Amino acid sequence: MPRRHFAPSILFLFLFLLLPSVQLFPLPATMNENAPPKTHQDGQPLESFTINATLVRLPHLTDYLPHLKPQTTPLESNHFYHPSDEFYLSHSDVIIRRTIYDLSTTSLSSSSPHLSYPRAGPRKQIFYNPQNVRAAIVTCGGLCPGLNTVIRELVVGLSEEYGVPEIFGIKAGYRGFYSMDPVKLDVKMVHNWHKRGGTVLETSRGGFDLHKIVNAIEEHGYNQVYIIGGDGTLRGAVKIFNEIRHRKLHIGVAAIPKTVDNDVGIIDRSFGFQTAVEKAQQAISAAHVEAESAPNGIGLVKLMGRTTGHIALNATLSSRDVDCCLIPENPFYLEGKGGLFEFLDERLAQNGHAVVVVAEGAGQDMIPRTDAASQKDESGNPVFLDVGVWLKGELKRWWERDHKDELFTVKYIDPTYMIRAVTANATDNLYCTLLAHSAIHGVMAGYTGFVAGPINGNYAYIPMDEISVTKNEVNTKDHNWAWVRSVTTQPDFVRS
């Protein structure tokens, strides 16, 4: 069926790097034509301004293989498409990273450049003969809704759009490159994979041996490698790309960031995140029912979020049944004025019940930790202690101490593995499809060492080494966290 995911955008922001700057449409300053024009602090009129945009350099195969010659994409003759002049993108099609400004205080034409990234989509010239492509797809790390959709669409896009004859799945993560036989994939095999949770290719943490992996890629003749994983996986992908570049191999490497926590920086969000928020609400709803059904009942829900609290925050705003949301970015305390116990005491006195949502990375500094517990997992991530179990115990001790002989119950719900193992919802399925096809078009165009992802609603290519070191943390100074505070009326946990 036709796939027209990359039709040209009709958004007003279209930059051409061949020009020194970009003139945007004039902004009307007032409805009164006789009013004096407003100006910046530097005197520049607000009605017009320019942006000093700098394109972030994306690695390309020709950087170290200058003899490569481009050829016309097979999309030109694909009967599913009818390309027009606007169908293909070029190096002048970019996406600006920052789009929000205060025009009364910010000069967009200042000497500081505004970063932009190549826009994702098909190019007319590609650097592979599709008939000679042997592609490898691997999933690494933990599960996430949408993994099978990404795999399916990589297979479908490579096969149906470009006519790639050989596509292989690597089983069990990075170690599968050198320790297991690959699985031959085709369109018929992956037909219904998007309706399944988990990853059909299987996954694991660790097993990263750089030279064994790259040697195996060479020995199997893979010349396109698609890596799906989280922050630890991305750090490994950077090393694989650098080693391939060092060996001057005609192999394109693209990554698709996967993390339910939504903690990958630069891009708008990670795939699976919206599904996770949707499913988290079911756990919150159950906790609310349990809490309401008991005198002095507390429903305690632990949600994913090792270093960021995006799932907890968004689930709180979506459900409106939450009395207190605890996230890693906003440290909390239990005892004393303004603490959690004082707040819950008041809430139970008012309503007779309360619901507390806690992200798994919150409160780690308060949980007693032995030397044996201060370790990292096979992906290099710190091992977190169970804040849910710890907080449940602390709540019980507090009540027994301050309200002895009064009825009290804590119902603890941990839906972690239920959430990350489910099938992606419609929004994430569409998102995964666009990510996969973005990655394919980028690799075919000769780009390598990049991540595909949306920036301000448009899909872009981002250097892998840049995105692997960024974090998307909850900003407790912005409107989202203020909304959480206003919805829950919870304390700010700042000691006076």
Side-chain angles (χ1 to χ4, degrees), residues 15 17 49-56 94-101 106-117:
L15 303 179
L17 297 183
F49 55 86
T50 59
I51 292 180
N52 177 16
T54 297
L55 178 64
V56 173
V94 301
I95 297 169
I96 287 201
R97 179 168 172 179
R98 181 183 173 192
T99 59
I100 299 175
Y101 298 91
T106 304
S107 174
L108 300 185
S109 58
S110 65
S111 58
S112 177
H114 301 276
L115 299 180
S116 62
Y117 298 90

Side-chain angles (χ1 to χ4, degrees), residues 175-252:
R175 57 171 46 85
F177 276 107
Y178 57 83
S179 65
M180 298 183 184
D181 293 330
V183 179
K184 183 75 180 290
L185 303 176
D186 57 45
V187 173
K188 184 177 181 180
M189 178 187 295
V190 304
H191 177 64
N192 286 316
W193 282 17
H194 62 297
K195 299 177 183 178
R196 301 171 60 176
T199 168
V200 179
L201 293 181
E202 302 175 355
T203 185
S204 69
R205 298 188 185 277
F208 185 83
D209 189 311
L210 177 60
H211 294 288
K212 284 185 178 181
I213 291 171
V214 178
N215 289 343
I217 290 172
E218 272 198 273
E219 291 166 5
H220 284 91
Y222 303 138
N223 50 16
Q224 293 187 6
V225 179
Y226 298 90
I227 301 171
I228 310 165
D231 50 0
T233 301
L234 290 176
R235 290 191 294 270
V238 171
K239 295 177 182 178
I240 291 172
F241 160 66
N242 286 332
E243 180 63 20
I244 286 174
R245 180 168 55 179
H246 175 72
R247 299 187 190 188
K248 298 187 183 324
L249 303 176
H250 186 184
I251 300 173

Side-chain angles (χ1 to χ4, degrees), residues 53 124 240 268 272 292 300 371 431 460:
K124 192 167 187 177
I240 291 172
D268 294 347
E292 273 191 320
L300 175 61
D371 291 338
Y431 180 29

Side-chain angles (χ1 to χ4, degrees), residues 1-8 73-88 122 124 160-161 441:
M1 63 174 56
R3 287 180 171 80
R4 307 198 179 200
H5 306 307
F6 297 96
T73 175
L75 296 179
E76 278 284 282
S77 56
N78 189 315
H79 66 279
F80 291 139
Y81 293 90
H82 301 284
S84 63
D85 291 340
E86 295 81 19
F87 178 81
Y88 298 109
K124 192 167 187 177
E160 292 190 353
E161 294 179 0
H441 291 309

Side-chain angles (χ1 to χ4, degrees), residues 281-294 297-301 319-323 351-357 411 413:
Q281 289 182 70
Q282 298 176 8
I284 293 172
S285 179
H288 184 242
V289 170
E290 289 284 356
E292 273 191 320
S293 302
I298 289 182
L300 175 61
V301 181
S319 75
R320 300 301 176 98
D321 286 332
V322 179
D323 294 275
N351 300 334
H353 64 273
V355 175
V356 177
V357 168
K411 299 298 184 183
I413 299 176

Side-chain angles (χ1 to χ4, degrees), residues 315-347:
T316 294
L317 290 176
S318 301
S319 75
R320 300 301 176 98
D321 286 332
V322 179
D323 294 275
C324 189
C325 176
L326 306 173
I327 62 174
E329 296 89 341
N330 191 60
F332 67 97
Y333 58 94
L334 303 178
E335 305 278 359
K337 185 173 181 56
L340 179 63
F341 291 162
E342 180 187 66
F343 171 72
L344 290 177
D345 216 351
E346 295 173 355
R347 188 54 55 92

